[in-house]
């Protein structure tokens, strides 16, 4: 390692922003902006054309006019590392550093735009309440987006105190583990006994974590437990359906006392996929492994002879629900990508025509067979 690299590494380790995730890599990326006299900082909150940025000198308010392009995926967001003007009224964020990871979902609008929820995240903590029946399909959606972002997913089963029977709780954990291969599943109770809180704190203690889930999932309570103080406002959930109102209305970045950084997010009503083909494949990795043993390499796992996926369903090795969910998320993701990718749209139309021609030929052959009979 060169002397300049050693110097950058040493300065990064002792930098005031180190508790917020600053490291030698960010220092190297920021070097050209430092030469221009700009200050490094991390965005902790974005609100109406302004953002709060934590810098070596403390928290400052800055204007985002220079980092608000028409592309919604390129706007500055919570978790970004930015270059800020050292003075001025107002101060401006001049640019943000290249993102290492980005958690993106499809908006609920008819324009099929992507929305970036958090940047430079190492762990995506998916909060799922045990106060309601588990929705495994929704968990799979969150997992697909988490894997696609480049972060490591973690599923936290909140309100575990509502399931006092350890056997029942173990079955619920097992159900989610089957749905989330390669992902830690941690039941947590924030009331009385710490439950799995210590386990979760150890996971999020290194790097940046984003807290995701529906309203009423207990995210704000979980955030307060990890922070060791009541920073986030908590509201009671409705008894009728276990759902809550949006306690958190903005995405906030907070340094954890035991190390690491937490981004809390508003409850997500819709969890639309956004170009998450790789993430979907990761969530259903067992289906991909089974598909390698199919007789035909382009097997659709519908009625083909020698299909290892269908055979696994017959034997009980693969739950049929998993295959149905896999197909559903694949179709949804394909539709989203097709709306923004003309080439893929053309390929899909070509595939539809091919399948239509095959079906038409099969029907004509069937009619011919009956006519000859």
């Amino acid at each position: 390692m060169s002397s300049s690299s050693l110097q950058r590494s040493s300065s990064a380790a002792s930098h005031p922003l180190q508790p917020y995730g600053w490291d030698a890599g960010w220092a190297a990326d920021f070097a050209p902006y430092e030469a221009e006299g700009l200050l490094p900082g991390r965005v902790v909150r974005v609100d109406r054309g302004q953002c709060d940025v934590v810098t070596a000198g403390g928290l400052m308010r800055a204007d985002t006019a220079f980092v608000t392009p028409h592309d919604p995926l390129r706007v500055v967001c919570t978790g970004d590392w930015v270059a800020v003007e050292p003075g001025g009224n107002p101060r401006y964020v001049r640019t943000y550093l290249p993102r290492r990871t980005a958690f993106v979902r499809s908006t609920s609008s008819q324009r099929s735009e992507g929305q970036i929820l958090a940047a430079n995240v190492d762990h995506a903590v998916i909060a799922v309440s045990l106060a309601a029946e588990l929705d495994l399909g929704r968990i799979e959606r969150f997992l697909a987006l988490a894997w696609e972002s480049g972060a490591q997913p973690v599923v936290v089963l909140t309100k575990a105190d509502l399931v006092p029977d350890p056997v029942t709780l173990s079955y619920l954990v097992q159900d989610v583990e089957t749905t989330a291969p390669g992902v830690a599943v941690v039941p947590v109770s924030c009331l009385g006994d710490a439950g799995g809180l210590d386990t979760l704190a150890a996971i999020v203690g290194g790097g940046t974590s984003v807290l995701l889930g529906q309203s009423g999932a207990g995210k704000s309570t979980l955030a307060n437990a990890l922070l060791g103080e009541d920073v986030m406002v908590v509201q009671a959930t409705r008894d009728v359906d276990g759902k809550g109102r949006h306690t958190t209305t903005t995405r906030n970045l907070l340094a954890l006392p035991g190390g690491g950084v937490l981004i809390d997010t508003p409850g997500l009503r819709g969890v639309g996929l956004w170009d998450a083909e790789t993430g979907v494949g990761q969530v259903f990795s067992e289906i991909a492994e089974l598909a390698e043993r199919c007789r035909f390499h382009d097997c659709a796992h519908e009625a083909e002879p020698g299909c290892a996926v269908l055979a696994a369903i017959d034997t009980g090795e693969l739950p049929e629900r998993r295959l149905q969910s896999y197909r559903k998320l694949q179709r949804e993701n394909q539709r989203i990508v097709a709306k923004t990718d003309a080439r893929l749209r053309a390929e899909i139309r070509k595939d539809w025509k091919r399948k239509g021609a095959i079906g038409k030929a099969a029907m004509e052959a069937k009619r011919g067979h009956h006519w000859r009979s």
Side-chain angles (χ1 to χ4, degrees), residues 42-46 72-73 75-81 96 99-105 114-125 145-146 148-151 208-212 250-253 261-266 268:
R42 194 166 195 189
V43 177
V44 300
R45 186 172 182 266
V46 180
L73 297 183
V75 300
V76 70
C77 76
T78 304
D80 272 325
W81 285 101
Y96 62 81
R99 293 163 176 159
R100 294 178 183 176
T101 63
F103 193 97
V104 180
R105 69 160 178 172
Q115 178 190 24
I116 182 165
L117 297 181
N120 303 311
V121 172
D122 300 294
H123 295 99
V125 181
L145 291 174
E148 191 68 34
S149 75
T208 299
S209 301
V210 61
L211 190 53
L212 305 155
T250 58
R251 292 177 284 280
N252 303 283
L253 183 146
V261 177
L262 182 69
I263 298 175
D264 192 19
T265 64
L268 300 176

Side-chain angles (χ1 to χ4, degrees), residues 286-297 299 301 305-309 311-312 315 317:
E286 80 276 31
I287 295 179
E289 292 172 3
L290 287 167
E292 293 178 359
R293 304 203 297 266
C294 290
R295 181 182 301 177
F296 304 108
H297 73 278
C299 183
H301 322 307
C307 175
V309 174
T315 62
E317 178 185 353

Side-chain angles (χ1 to χ4, degrees), residues 22-37:
W22 184 262
D23 59 27
W26 293 122
D29 289 345
F30 190 79
Y33 304 108
E34 185 177 27
E36 297 177 15

Side-chain angles (χ1 to χ4, degrees), residues 13-366:
S14 58
H15 198 279
L17 289 175
Q18 189 270 335
Y20 288 89
W22 184 262
D23 59 27
W26 293 122
D29 289 345
F30 190 79
Y33 304 108
E34 185 177 27
E36 297 177 15
L38 297 175
L39 301 176
R42 194 166 195 189
V43 177
V44 300
R45 186 172 182 266
V46 180
D47 179 32
R48 299 176 184 175
Q50 302 281 317
C51 66
D52 294 331
V53 181
V54 62
T55 69
L59 193 66
M60 66 171 59
R61 191 76 166 162
D63 196 291
T64 63
F66 291 102
V67 283
T68 310
H70 293 298
D71 184 351
L73 297 183
R74 296 176 59 198
V75 300
V76 70
C77 76
T78 304
D80 272 325
W81 285 101
V82 296
V84 188
E85 293 176 343
N89 186 20
R91 298 189 189 200
Y92 286 94
V93 173
R94 283 293 171 178
T95 189
Y96 62 81
L97 301 185
R99 293 163 176 159
R100 294 178 183 176
T101 63
F103 193 97
V104 180
R105 69 160 178 172
S106 174
T107 64
S108 57
S109 72
Q110 296 301 312
R111 292 178 293 175
S112 298
E113 292 180 341
Q115 178 190 24
I116 182 165
L117 297 181
N120 303 311
V121 172
D122 300 294
H123 295 99
V125 181
I126 302 164
V128 180
S129 172
L130 290 177
E133 185 176 353
L134 287 176
D135 186 341
L136 298 179
R138 178 171 288 272
I139 294 174
E140 287 162 344
R141 283 176 171 275
F142 273 111
L143 289 170
L145 291 174
W147 283 121
E148 191 68 34
S149 75
Q152 170 67 44
V154 180
V155 177
V156 177
L157 302 179
T158 63
K159 308 181 184 182
D161 52 285
L162 298 179
V163 188
D165 178 29
V167 175
T168 302
L169 181 60
S170 69
Y171 283 142
L172 292 171
V173 171
Q174 186 177 351
D175 286 344
V176 178
E177 287 176 339
T178 301
T179 301
V183 175
V185 179
V186 185
V188 171
S189 170
C190 296
L191 300 177
D193 184 16
L197 198 59
D198 291 343
T199 301
L200 179 60
I203 293 173
V204 302
T208 299
S209 301
V210 61
L211 190 53
L212 305 155
Q214 287 184 286
S215 297
K219 297 189 307 301
S220 295
T221 300
L222 189 60
N224 286 336
L226 290 169
L227 289 163
E229 54 183 319
D230 291 340
V231 175
M232 310 306 296
V233 177
V234 177
Q235 294 177 346
T237 57
R238 298 191 298 255
D239 291 336
V240 65
D241 56 10
K243 295 181 180 179
R245 291 169 291 178
H246 290 307
T247 301
T248 306
T249 56
T250 58
R251 292 177 284 280
N252 303 283
L253 183 146
L254 303 159
L256 296 171
V261 177
L262 182 69
I263 298 175
D264 192 19
T265 64
L268 300 176
R269 289 193 181 94
V271 193
L273 299 185
W274 179 261
D275 195 6
E277 180 181 359
T278 301
V280 172
Q282 185 73 35
V283 175
F284 300 93
S285 57
E286 80 276 31
I287 295 179
E289 292 172 3
L290 287 167
E292 293 178 359
R293 304 203 297 266
C294 290
R295 181 182 301 177
F296 304 108
H297 73 278
D298 59 347
C299 183
H301 322 307
E302 292 176 351
E304 297 85 348
C307 175
V309 174
L310 295 179
I313 290 177
D314 290 340
T315 62
E317 178 185 353
L318 177 69
E320 186 173 2
R321 187 206 66 80
R322 287 282 284 172
L323 180 58
Q324 292 174 348
S325 182
Y326 173 60
R327 288 171 174 162
K328 180 179 180 180
L329 293 184
Q330 273 194 321
R331 288 193 300 268
E332 178 183 327
N333 188 68
Q334 197 175 49
R335 285 196 301 270
I336 287 293
V337 175
K339 289 180 180 179
T340 58
D341 189 328
R343 178 187 57 79
L344 184 59
R345 282 200 300 269
E347 289 180 359
I348 291 173
R349 283 196 296 270
K350 183 178 179 181
D351 186 52
W352 284 344
K353 290 180 179 179
R354 179 183 64 81
K355 289 181 178 179
I358 292 173
K360 184 178 180 181
M363 288 299 294
E364 289 177 351
K366 188 175 182 180

